[in-house]
Amino acid sequence: METSPWLERRERDQSQRRNDHRSPFQRDRARIMHSAAFRRLQAKTQVLGVGMNDFYRTRLTHSLEVSQIGTGIAAQLKQRFPEMLTWLDSMSLIEALCLAHDIGHPPYGHGGETALNYMMRDHGGFEGNGQTFRILTKLEPYTEHYGMNLTRRTLLGVMKYPALAESLRQKYAQPAVSNYRQLKPSQWPPVKAIFNDDAAVFNWVLAPLTAHDRAEFIRSSQASTGGHQRTLYKSFDSTIMELADDIAYAVHDLEDAIVMGIVSREQWLEFVAPRLSCLQDPWIKEQLDNIDGRLFSSKHYRRKDAIGTLVNALVTAICVRENNLFTESLLRYQAVLEAPYDQMLEILKQFVLMFVVRKPEIQMLEYKGQQIVMELFEALASDPLRLLPFNTQERWQTAQQHGGNSLRVIADYIAGMTDEFAARLHQQLFSPRAASLMEFSHI
Protein backbone atom coordinates (compact mmCIF):
# COMPACT_ATOMS: atom_id res chain seq x y z
CA MET A 1 0.00 0.00 0.00
CA GLU A 2 2.99 2.32 0.49
CA THR A 3 3.26 3.01 -3.24
CA SER A 4 -0.50 3.06 -3.85
CA PRO A 5 -1.68 6.02 -5.94
CA TRP A 6 -4.68 6.21 -3.60
CA LEU A 7 -2.40 7.47 -0.82
CA GLU A 8 -1.03 10.34 -2.90
CA ARG A 9 -1.83 14.00 -2.22
CA ARG A 10 -1.92 16.77 -4.82
CA GLU A 11 0.85 18.60 -3.01
CA ARG A 12 3.66 16.70 -1.36
CA ASP A 13 3.70 17.40 2.37
CA GLN A 14 6.64 19.61 3.22
CA SER A 15 5.96 19.90 6.95
CA GLN A 16 8.31 17.94 9.17
CA ARG A 17 6.40 16.72 12.23
CA ARG A 18 8.63 15.30 14.96
CA ASN A 19 8.02 11.60 15.56
CA ASP A 20 4.76 11.67 13.59
CA HIS A 21 3.76 8.02 13.17
CA ARG A 22 0.19 8.61 12.07
CA SER A 23 -1.21 6.92 8.99
CA PRO A 24 -2.23 9.06 5.99
CA PHE A 25 -5.90 8.58 6.90
CA GLN A 26 -5.34 9.57 10.53
CA ARG A 27 -3.85 12.80 9.23
CA ASP A 28 -6.81 13.31 6.87
CA ARG A 29 -9.24 12.84 9.77
CA ALA A 30 -7.30 15.35 11.89
CA ARG A 31 -7.33 17.98 9.14
CA ILE A 32 -11.10 17.64 8.74
CA MET A 33 -11.83 17.65 12.48
CA HIS A 34 -9.68 20.72 13.14
CA SER A 35 -11.01 22.75 10.20
CA ALA A 36 -13.13 25.87 10.57
CA ALA A 37 -15.65 24.40 8.12
CA PHE A 38 -16.18 21.42 10.43
CA ARG A 39 -16.63 23.62 13.52
CA ARG A 40 -19.27 25.70 11.75
CA LEU A 41 -21.49 22.61 11.54
CA GLN A 42 -22.32 23.17 15.21
CA ALA A 43 -24.46 26.14 14.14
CA LYS A 44 -26.04 24.75 10.97
CA THR A 45 -29.50 23.22 10.74
CA GLN A 46 -29.87 19.44 10.51
CA VAL A 47 -33.67 19.03 10.31
CA LEU A 48 -34.99 21.09 13.22
CA GLY A 49 -33.85 24.69 13.37
CA VAL A 50 -30.72 25.62 15.30
CA GLY A 51 -31.63 27.40 18.52
CA MET A 52 -35.12 25.93 18.80
CA ASN A 53 -33.89 23.71 21.63
CA ASP A 54 -30.45 22.65 22.83
CA PHE A 55 -31.47 18.99 22.63
CA TYR A 56 -31.80 18.87 18.84
CA ARG A 57 -29.13 17.51 16.59
CA THR A 58 -27.17 20.00 14.53
CA ARG A 59 -25.10 19.18 11.45
CA LEU A 60 -22.14 18.69 13.81
CA THR A 61 -23.73 16.20 16.20
CA HIS A 62 -25.29 14.43 13.20
CA SER A 63 -21.83 14.09 11.61
CA LEU A 64 -20.38 12.67 14.83
CA GLU A 65 -23.18 10.10 14.97
CA VAL A 66 -22.64 9.20 11.31
CA SER A 67 -18.97 8.63 12.13
CA GLN A 68 -19.84 6.32 15.02
CA ILE A 69 -22.28 4.33 12.86
CA GLY A 70 -19.79 4.22 9.99
CA THR A 71 -17.07 2.65 12.12
CA GLY A 72 -19.66 0.22 13.49
CA ILE A 73 -20.50 -0.84 9.93
CA ALA A 74 -16.81 -1.30 9.10
CA ALA A 75 -16.28 -3.40 12.24
CA GLN A 76 -19.23 -5.65 11.33
CA LEU A 77 -17.97 -6.09 7.77
CA LYS A 78 -14.50 -7.04 9.00
CA GLN A 79 -16.06 -9.82 11.07
CA ARG A 80 -18.45 -11.09 8.40
CA PHE A 81 -16.16 -10.67 5.39
CA PRO A 82 -12.53 -11.25 6.49
CA GLU A 83 -11.47 -11.30 2.84
CA MET A 84 -12.21 -7.53 2.83
CA LEU A 85 -9.64 -6.72 5.53
CA THR A 86 -7.28 -5.25 2.92
CA TRP A 87 -9.88 -2.63 2.09
CA LEU A 88 -11.18 -2.16 5.64
CA ASP A 89 -7.73 -1.51 7.09
CA SER A 90 -8.42 1.99 8.42
CA MET A 91 -11.20 3.13 10.71
CA SER A 92 -9.68 6.61 10.44
CA LEU A 93 -10.59 6.70 6.75
CA ILE A 94 -14.24 5.87 7.47
CA GLU A 95 -14.30 8.45 10.28
CA ALA A 96 -12.80 11.07 7.96
CA LEU A 97 -15.45 10.47 5.29
CA CYS A 98 -18.32 10.54 7.78
CA LEU A 99 -17.07 13.67 9.56
CA ALA A 100 -16.64 15.45 6.22
CA HIS A 101 -19.82 14.34 4.44
CA ASP A 102 -21.96 17.39 5.36
CA ILE A 103 -19.20 19.98 5.54
CA GLY A 104 -20.42 21.73 2.39
CA HIS A 105 -24.04 22.18 3.40
CA PRO A 106 -25.04 25.87 3.51
CA PRO A 107 -27.01 27.63 6.26
CA TYR A 108 -30.69 26.69 6.65
CA GLY A 109 -30.35 23.17 5.24
CA HIS A 110 -32.16 22.48 1.99
CA GLY A 111 -33.67 25.96 2.02
CA GLY A 112 -30.20 27.46 1.71
CA GLU A 113 -29.21 24.88 -0.90
CA THR A 114 -32.27 25.68 -3.05
CA ALA A 115 -31.54 29.40 -2.76
CA LEU A 116 -27.90 29.13 -3.80
CA ASN A 117 -28.71 26.71 -6.62
CA TYR A 118 -31.26 29.16 -8.01
CA MET A 119 -28.95 32.15 -7.74
CA MET A 120 -26.19 30.15 -9.47
CA ARG A 121 -28.53 28.64 -12.08
CA ASP A 122 -26.63 30.18 -15.01
CA HIS A 123 -23.21 29.81 -13.41
CA GLY A 124 -22.82 26.12 -12.60
CA GLY A 125 -25.50 25.69 -9.93
CA PHE A 126 -24.98 24.73 -6.29
CA GLU A 127 -25.30 21.49 -4.34
CA GLY A 128 -24.07 20.57 -0.86
CA ASN A 129 -22.04 17.51 -1.81
CA GLY A 130 -20.27 19.38 -4.58
CA GLN A 131 -19.46 22.14 -2.08
CA THR A 132 -18.05 19.56 0.34
CA PHE A 133 -15.59 18.43 -2.34
CA ARG A 134 -14.72 22.07 -3.06
CA ILE A 135 -14.02 22.89 0.60
CA LEU A 136 -11.79 19.85 1.03
CA THR A 137 -9.82 20.42 -2.17
CA LYS A 138 -9.67 24.20 -2.51
CA LEU A 139 -11.29 26.45 0.09
CA GLU A 140 -10.15 25.33 3.54
CA PRO A 141 -6.79 27.12 4.00
CA TYR A 142 -4.67 24.21 5.26
CA THR A 143 -2.48 24.72 2.17
CA GLU A 144 -2.17 27.69 -0.17
CA HIS A 145 -3.77 26.11 -3.24
CA TYR A 146 -5.07 22.61 -2.42
CA GLY A 147 -7.43 23.02 0.52
CA MET A 148 -6.86 20.29 3.11
CA ASN A 149 -4.65 18.40 0.62
CA LEU A 150 -6.23 15.06 1.49
CA THR A 151 -5.29 11.67 0.08
CA ARG A 152 -6.79 10.60 -3.21
CA ARG A 153 -8.69 7.71 -1.59
CA THR A 154 -10.36 10.02 0.94
CA LEU A 155 -11.46 12.34 -1.87
CA LEU A 156 -12.75 9.38 -3.89
CA GLY A 157 -14.75 8.25 -0.86
CA VAL A 158 -16.32 11.64 -0.23
CA MET A 159 -17.61 11.87 -3.83
CA LYS A 160 -21.16 10.53 -3.52
CA TYR A 161 -21.93 11.62 -7.09
CA PRO A 162 -18.78 11.14 -9.22
CA ALA A 163 -19.51 13.21 -12.32
CA LEU A 164 -19.28 16.83 -13.41
CA ALA A 165 -22.49 18.85 -13.11
CA GLU A 166 -22.79 19.91 -16.74
CA SER A 167 -22.77 16.27 -17.89
CA LEU A 168 -25.87 15.59 -15.77
CA ARG A 169 -27.78 18.86 -15.98
CA GLN A 170 -31.21 19.00 -17.60
CA LYS A 171 -32.17 22.42 -18.88
CA TYR A 172 -34.84 24.05 -16.75
CA ALA A 173 -38.20 24.15 -18.51
CA GLN A 174 -39.56 27.09 -16.55
CA PRO A 175 -38.39 30.72 -16.67
CA ALA A 176 -36.75 32.44 -13.73
CA VAL A 177 -39.20 33.54 -11.06
CA SER A 178 -40.36 37.15 -11.07
CA ASN A 179 -40.12 37.35 -7.29
CA TYR A 180 -38.00 35.32 -4.86
CA ARG A 181 -41.07 34.67 -2.72
CA GLN A 182 -42.42 32.45 -5.51
CA LEU A 183 -39.45 30.09 -5.80
CA LYS A 184 -40.50 26.43 -5.42
CA PRO A 185 -37.67 23.97 -4.59
CA SER A 186 -39.39 21.20 -6.59
CA GLN A 187 -38.93 23.24 -9.78
CA TRP A 188 -35.23 23.98 -9.24
CA PRO A 189 -33.60 20.76 -8.01
CA PRO A 190 -29.80 20.90 -7.71
CA VAL A 191 -27.56 18.69 -9.85
CA LYS A 192 -25.96 16.15 -7.51
CA ALA A 193 -22.41 16.27 -8.84
CA ILE A 194 -19.00 17.92 -8.72
CA PHE A 195 -18.98 21.53 -9.95
CA ASN A 196 -17.37 22.09 -13.35
CA ASP A 197 -15.20 24.73 -11.65
CA ASP A 198 -13.48 21.81 -9.87
CA ALA A 199 -12.90 19.64 -12.95
CA ALA A 200 -9.10 19.64 -12.57
CA VAL A 201 -9.07 18.05 -9.11
CA PHE A 202 -11.93 15.72 -10.07
CA ASN A 203 -9.80 14.41 -12.95
CA TRP A 204 -6.80 14.07 -10.63
CA VAL A 205 -8.79 11.91 -8.19
CA LEU A 206 -9.90 9.55 -10.98
CA ALA A 207 -6.48 9.43 -12.68
CA PRO A 208 -5.52 5.91 -11.40
CA LEU A 209 -8.61 4.33 -12.96
CA THR A 210 -8.49 2.56 -16.31
CA ALA A 211 -10.36 4.23 -19.15
CA HIS A 212 -13.06 1.54 -18.89
CA ASP A 213 -13.48 1.89 -15.11
CA ARG A 214 -13.63 5.66 -15.32
CA ALA A 215 -16.24 5.61 -18.12
CA GLU A 216 -18.45 3.23 -16.13
CA PHE A 217 -17.92 5.01 -12.80
CA ILE A 218 -19.16 8.37 -14.09
CA ARG A 219 -22.07 6.81 -16.01
CA SER A 220 -25.53 8.16 -15.20
CA SER A 221 -29.20 7.54 -15.87
CA GLN A 222 -32.32 9.67 -15.97
CA ALA A 223 -33.69 10.30 -12.49
CA SER A 224 -37.07 8.70 -11.88
CA THR A 225 -38.56 12.09 -11.01
CA GLY A 226 -37.73 13.46 -14.46
CA GLY A 227 -35.10 15.82 -13.15
CA HIS A 228 -31.35 15.80 -13.76
CA GLN A 229 -29.33 12.71 -14.59
CA ARG A 230 -28.02 10.74 -11.57
CA THR A 231 -24.78 8.81 -11.27
CA LEU A 232 -25.09 5.06 -10.79
CA TYR A 233 -22.03 4.05 -8.77
CA LYS A 234 -19.98 4.96 -5.69
CA SER A 235 -16.68 3.75 -4.30
CA PHE A 236 -16.69 1.06 -1.60
CA ASP A 237 -15.77 3.59 1.10
CA SER A 238 -18.50 5.96 -0.05
CA THR A 239 -21.18 3.23 0.20
CA ILE A 240 -20.27 2.71 3.87
CA MET A 241 -20.44 6.44 4.55
CA GLU A 242 -23.78 6.83 2.78
CA LEU A 243 -25.37 3.92 4.64
CA ALA A 244 -24.21 5.43 7.94
CA ASP A 245 -25.69 8.79 6.91
CA ASP A 246 -29.02 7.23 5.93
CA ILE A 247 -29.26 5.28 9.19
CA ALA A 248 -28.50 8.39 11.26
CA TYR A 249 -31.09 10.39 9.32
CA ALA A 250 -33.80 7.75 9.55
CA VAL A 251 -33.31 6.78 13.19
CA HIS A 252 -31.67 9.61 15.10
CA ASP A 253 -33.64 12.39 13.41
CA LEU A 254 -36.72 10.30 14.19
CA GLU A 255 -35.67 10.34 17.85
CA ASP A 256 -35.52 14.15 17.83
CA ALA A 257 -39.00 14.30 16.33
CA ILE A 258 -40.42 11.89 18.94
CA VAL A 259 -38.93 13.81 21.87
CA MET A 260 -40.25 17.08 20.44
CA GLY A 261 -43.74 15.68 20.01
CA ILE A 262 -43.57 16.34 16.27
CA VAL A 263 -44.60 12.75 15.47
CA SER A 264 -47.05 10.66 17.44
CA ARG A 265 -47.42 6.98 18.24
CA GLU A 266 -50.67 7.01 16.26
CA GLN A 267 -48.83 8.19 13.14
CA TRP A 268 -46.24 5.43 13.66
CA LEU A 269 -48.96 2.79 14.01
CA GLU A 270 -50.74 4.11 10.93
CA PHE A 271 -47.74 4.54 8.61
CA VAL A 272 -44.78 2.44 9.81
CA ALA A 273 -46.16 -0.58 11.67
CA PRO A 274 -48.28 -2.06 8.84
CA ARG A 275 -45.45 -1.63 6.33
CA LEU A 276 -42.90 -3.28 8.61
CA SER A 277 -45.29 -6.18 9.26
CA CYS A 278 -45.26 -6.95 5.53
CA LEU A 279 -41.49 -7.49 5.43
CA GLN A 280 -40.44 -11.09 5.07
CA ASP A 281 -38.01 -11.33 7.95
CA PRO A 282 -38.68 -13.15 11.25
CA TRP A 283 -36.46 -10.85 13.34
CA ILE A 284 -38.25 -7.74 12.11
CA LYS A 285 -41.65 -9.30 12.82
CA GLU A 286 -40.60 -10.41 16.30
CA GLN A 287 -38.70 -7.31 17.45
CA LEU A 288 -40.66 -4.51 15.84
CA ASP A 289 -44.19 -5.66 16.57
CA ASN A 290 -44.14 -3.78 19.88
CA ILE A 291 -41.25 -1.37 19.40
CA ASP A 292 -43.66 1.57 19.31
CA GLY A 293 -44.27 1.10 23.05
CA ARG A 294 -40.60 1.70 23.74
CA LEU A 295 -40.07 4.39 21.11
CA PHE A 296 -42.88 6.56 22.43
CA SER A 297 -42.37 5.75 26.10
CA SER A 298 -42.05 8.59 28.59
CA LYS A 299 -39.09 6.68 30.06
CA HIS A 300 -35.95 8.00 28.42
CA TYR A 301 -34.03 4.71 28.78
CA ARG A 302 -36.78 2.72 27.02
CA ARG A 303 -36.71 5.08 24.04
CA LYS A 304 -32.90 4.88 23.86
CA ASP A 305 -33.13 1.09 23.92
CA ALA A 306 -35.57 1.15 20.99
CA ILE A 307 -33.35 3.55 19.02
CA GLY A 308 -30.36 1.29 19.69
CA THR A 309 -32.37 -1.73 18.52
CA LEU A 310 -33.20 -0.05 15.21
CA VAL A 311 -29.60 1.06 14.58
CA ASN A 312 -28.22 -2.37 15.47
CA ALA A 313 -30.72 -4.12 13.20
CA LEU A 314 -29.63 -2.01 10.24
CA VAL A 315 -25.88 -2.05 10.88
CA THR A 316 -25.73 -5.84 11.29
CA ALA A 317 -27.73 -6.39 8.07
CA ILE A 318 -25.09 -4.78 5.83
CA CYS A 319 -23.09 -7.03 3.52
CA VAL A 320 -20.52 -6.71 0.73
CA ARG A 321 -21.44 -7.33 -2.88
CA GLU A 322 -19.17 -7.48 -5.88
CA ASN A 323 -19.77 -5.66 -9.16
CA ASN A 324 -17.68 -7.36 -11.83
CA LEU A 325 -18.12 -4.37 -14.10
CA PHE A 326 -15.01 -2.83 -12.49
CA THR A 327 -11.40 -3.99 -12.22
CA GLU A 328 -10.47 -1.49 -9.47
CA SER A 329 -11.24 -3.07 -6.08
CA LEU A 330 -12.34 0.25 -4.54
CA LEU A 331 -15.12 0.36 -7.14
CA ARG A 332 -15.86 -3.34 -7.51
CA TYR A 333 -16.94 -3.86 -3.89
CA GLN A 334 -20.07 -2.23 -2.49
CA ALA A 335 -21.57 -2.18 1.01
CA VAL A 336 -25.31 -2.82 0.73
CA LEU A 337 -28.24 -3.57 3.03
CA GLU A 338 -29.88 -6.97 2.77
CA ALA A 339 -33.31 -6.72 1.10
CA PRO A 340 -35.78 -6.70 4.04
CA TYR A 341 -33.63 -4.23 5.99
CA ASP A 342 -33.15 -2.02 2.97
CA GLN A 343 -36.96 -1.83 2.78
CA MET A 344 -37.11 -1.15 6.52
CA LEU A 345 -34.67 1.76 6.20
CA GLU A 346 -36.67 3.19 3.31
CA ILE A 347 -39.89 3.01 5.37
CA LEU A 348 -38.22 4.90 8.23
CA LYS A 349 -36.78 7.52 5.85
CA GLN A 350 -40.18 8.05 4.26
CA PHE A 351 -41.77 8.43 7.69
CA VAL A 352 -39.26 11.15 8.67
CA LEU A 353 -39.72 12.86 5.30
CA MET A 354 -43.52 12.87 5.41
CA PHE A 355 -44.17 13.62 9.07
CA VAL A 356 -41.11 15.68 10.03
CA VAL A 357 -39.34 17.32 7.08
CA ARG A 358 -42.55 18.18 5.23
CA LYS A 359 -44.37 19.42 8.33
CA PRO A 360 -45.50 23.00 7.57
CA GLU A 361 -43.74 24.42 10.65
CA ILE A 362 -40.43 22.93 9.48
CA GLN A 363 -41.01 24.04 5.89
CA MET A 364 -41.66 27.60 7.12
CA LEU A 365 -38.18 27.66 8.66
CA GLU A 366 -36.70 26.34 5.41
CA TYR A 367 -38.64 28.91 3.40
CA LYS A 368 -37.45 31.73 5.65
CA GLY A 369 -33.83 30.61 5.28
CA GLN A 370 -34.31 30.34 1.52
CA GLN A 371 -35.40 34.01 1.37
CA ILE A 372 -32.53 35.17 3.58
CA VAL A 373 -29.91 33.42 1.44
CA MET A 374 -31.30 34.70 -1.89
CA GLU A 375 -31.46 38.27 -0.62
CA LEU A 376 -27.91 38.04 0.76
CA PHE A 377 -26.65 36.73 -2.57
CA GLU A 378 -28.39 39.47 -4.53
CA ALA A 379 -26.98 42.18 -2.26
CA LEU A 380 -23.40 40.87 -2.24
CA ALA A 381 -23.39 40.27 -6.00
CA SER A 382 -24.68 43.79 -6.65
CA ASP A 383 -21.45 45.39 -5.41
CA PRO A 384 -18.85 42.80 -4.30
CA LEU A 385 -16.02 45.31 -3.85
CA ARG A 386 -18.17 47.28 -1.46
CA LEU A 387 -19.85 44.56 0.60
CA LEU A 388 -17.65 41.46 0.65
CA PRO A 389 -14.95 41.02 3.33
CA PHE A 390 -11.49 42.03 2.07
CA ASN A 391 -10.11 38.50 1.70
CA THR A 392 -13.22 37.40 -0.24
CA GLN A 393 -12.94 40.54 -2.39
CA GLU A 394 -9.44 39.40 -3.37
CA ARG A 395 -10.72 35.99 -4.46
CA TRP A 396 -13.56 37.67 -6.39
CA GLN A 397 -11.12 40.01 -8.18
CA THR A 398 -8.77 37.13 -9.02
CA ALA A 399 -11.65 35.20 -10.57
CA GLN A 400 -12.69 38.29 -12.55
CA GLN A 401 -9.18 38.94 -13.82
CA HIS A 402 -8.50 35.36 -14.87
CA GLY A 403 -11.84 34.59 -16.50
CA GLY A 404 -13.03 32.48 -13.58
CA ASN A 405 -16.48 32.11 -12.07
CA SER A 406 -16.62 35.13 -9.78
CA LEU A 407 -20.17 34.34 -8.63
CA ARG A 408 -18.87 31.00 -7.33
CA VAL A 409 -16.79 33.04 -4.88
CA ILE A 410 -19.96 34.67 -3.52
CA ALA A 411 -21.67 31.26 -3.28
CA ASP A 412 -18.61 29.94 -1.39
CA TYR A 413 -18.82 32.83 1.08
CA ILE A 414 -22.53 32.41 1.79
CA ALA A 415 -22.35 28.60 1.91
CA GLY A 416 -19.74 28.87 4.65
CA MET A 417 -22.01 30.91 6.92
CA THR A 418 -23.77 29.49 9.95
CA ASP A 419 -27.51 30.04 10.30
CA GLU A 420 -26.93 32.71 12.94
CA PHE A 421 -24.28 34.58 10.95
CA ALA A 422 -26.49 34.65 7.85
CA ALA A 423 -29.42 35.97 9.90
CA ARG A 424 -27.29 38.67 11.51
CA LEU A 425 -25.76 39.76 8.20
CA HIS A 426 -29.23 39.91 6.63
CA GLN A 427 -30.40 42.05 9.53
CA GLN A 428 -27.36 44.30 9.17
CA LEU A 429 -28.08 44.85 5.49
CA PHE A 430 -31.86 45.14 5.48
CA SER A 431 -33.24 45.93 8.92
CA PRO A 432 -33.52 49.56 10.10
CA ARG A 433 -32.94 48.20 13.63
CA ALA A 434 -29.73 46.41 12.75
CA ALA A 435 -27.04 45.52 15.26
CA SER A 436 -24.33 48.06 15.85
CA LEU A 437 -21.00 47.79 14.04
CA MET A 438 -19.41 46.81 17.35
CA GLU A 439 -21.84 43.88 17.80
CA PHE A 440 -21.50 42.78 14.19
CA SER A 441 -17.71 42.72 14.32
CA HIS A 442 -17.88 40.04 17.01
CA ILE A 443 -20.01 37.55 15.03
Side-chain angles (χ1 to χ4, degrees), residues 394-414:
E394 290 175 15
R395 288 186 56 232
W396 185 87
Q397 284 182 303
T398 300
Q400 285 279 90
Q401 292 163 3
H402 294 89
N405 189 350
S406 57
L407 286 182
R408 179 68 64 196
V409 175
I410 296 173
D412 290 339
Y413 176 55
I414 295 174

Side-chain angles (χ1 to χ4, degrees), residues 61-71 98 101 241 244-245 248:
T61 58
H62 165 75
S63 298
L64 294 172
E65 288 175 334
V66 172
S67 176
Q68 183 271 323
I69 294 171
T71 55
C98 293
H101 84 282
M241 175 263 284
D245 186 22

Side-chain angles (χ1 to χ4, degrees), residues 27-82:
R27 294 165 71 193
D28 283 357
R29 179 188 60 190
R31 293 178 188 189
I32 292 163
M33 189 175 289
H34 293 290
S35 67
F38 181 70
R39 288 195 301 277
R40 289 190 191 104
L41 296 177
Q42 68 187 304
K44 290 192 178 187
T45 293
Q46 171 59 14
V47 172
L48 304 172
V50 170
M52 289 173 67
N53 186 304
D54 60 7
F55 172 85
Y56 307 152
R57 289 166 169 88
T58 63
R59 288 275 178 192
L60 180 64
T61 58
H62 165 75
S63 298
L64 294 172
E65 288 175 334
V66 172
S67 176
Q68 183 271 323
I69 294 171
T71 55
I73 293 171
Q76 287 286 335
L77 293 180
K78 286 169 77 170
Q79 289 291 320
R80 291 185 63 190
F81 303 92

Side-chain angles (χ1 to χ4, degrees), residues 88-157:
L88 289 165
D89 58 334
S90 175
M91 290 296 183
S92 297
L93 168 65
I94 301 302
E95 285 185 286
L97 299 180
C98 293
L99 293 173
H101 84 282
D102 264 357
I103 217 167
H105 277 269
Y108 301 109
H110 291 296
E113 184 179 53
T114 294
L116 286 175
N117 183 51
Y118 177 78
M119 302 306 285
M120 292 291 290
R121 63 194 180 279
D122 297 322
H123 303 277
F126 180 90
E127 193 267 334
N129 296 288
Q131 190 69 12
T132 291
F133 186 77
R134 187 167 170 80
I135 289 170
L136 299 177
T137 60
K138 187 173 293 185
L139 300 180
E140 186 67 28
Y142 187 90
T143 61
E144 186 176 2
H145 301 294
Y146 302 112
M148 297 187 200
N149 195 33
L150 304 178
T151 60
R152 185 184 262 118
R153 182 172 172 183
T154 298
L155 294 177
L156 179 74

Side-chain angles (χ1 to χ4, degrees), residues 195-399:
F195 303 138
N196 278 59
D197 296 321
D198 302 314
V201 64
F202 172 73
N203 290 328
W204 177 84
V205 173
L206 301 189
L209 300 179
T210 65
H212 172 270
D213 276 3
R214 178 189 166 113
E216 289 297 331
F217 189 49
I218 66 175
R219 201 150 57 87
S220 61
S221 68
Q222 184 66 45
S224 59
T225 56
H228 306 293
Q229 298 271 318
R230 292 288 294 268
T231 54
L232 298 172
Y233 304 109
K234 295 174 175 60
S235 73
F236 175 57
D237 304 321
S238 190
T239 60
I240 295 175
M241 175 263 284
E242 185 168 55
L243 282 169
D245 186 22
D246 282 351
I247 292 169
Y249 165 78
V251 181
H252 290 305
D253 289 354
L254 169 65
E255 181 185 13
D256 276 1
I258 291 171
V259 173
M260 295 302 302
I262 291 173
V263 294
S264 67
R265 186 176 182 179
E266 289 69 32
Q267 289 170 324
W268 174 277
L269 292 173
E270 178 186 342
F271 183 90
V272 178
R275 289 169 171 81
L276 291 181
S277 68
C278 293
L279 300 182
Q280 300 304 309
D281 183 87
W283 187 93
I284 293 176
K285 288 181 181 297
E286 176 190 340
Q287 291 289 322
L288 301 186
D289 265 355
N290 62 355
I291 199 169
D292 56 284
R294 287 180 287 155
L295 269 178
F296 293 89
S297 172
S298 59
K299 305 287 188 184
H300 181 75
Y301 71 89
R302 295 195 71 209
R303 185 180 65 251
K304 295 304 291 186
D305 177 62
I307 292 294
T309 297
L310 289 172
V311 173
N312 173 261
L314 293 164
V315 167
T316 55
I318 293 170
C319 61
V320 176
R321 290 196 186 141
E322 196 169 351
N323 184 345
N324 292 321
L325 192 63
F326 298 104
T327 57
E328 169 57 56
S329 297
L330 286 175
L331 307 187
R332 192 165 72 244
Y333 297 111
Q334 305 278 286
V336 296
L337 263 170
E338 295 164 0
Y341 294 87
D342 185 47
Q343 293 169 285
M344 172 179 153
L345 179 60
E346 188 58 33
I347 290 166
L348 294 176
K349 285 167 63 178
Q350 287 300 315
F351 183 66
V352 172
L353 179 65
M354 289 181 63
F355 293 96
V356 183
V357 176
R358 288 183 179 165
K359 195 174 179 70
E361 292 85 346
I362 302 296
Q363 285 302 308
M364 285 179 189
L365 293 173
E366 244 185 50
Y367 178 82
K368 179 181 178 181
Q370 184 178 305
Q371 303 307 312
I372 288 173
V373 169
M374 284 191 287
E375 290 174 2
L376 283 178
F377 192 104
E378 183 181 49
L380 296 173
S382 72
D383 200 345
L385 296 181
R386 181 185 183 192
L387 299 175
L388 288 174
F390 286 129
N391 61 337
T392 310
Q393 284 184 30
E394 290 175 15
R395 288 186 56 232
W396 185 87
Q397 284 182 303
T398 300

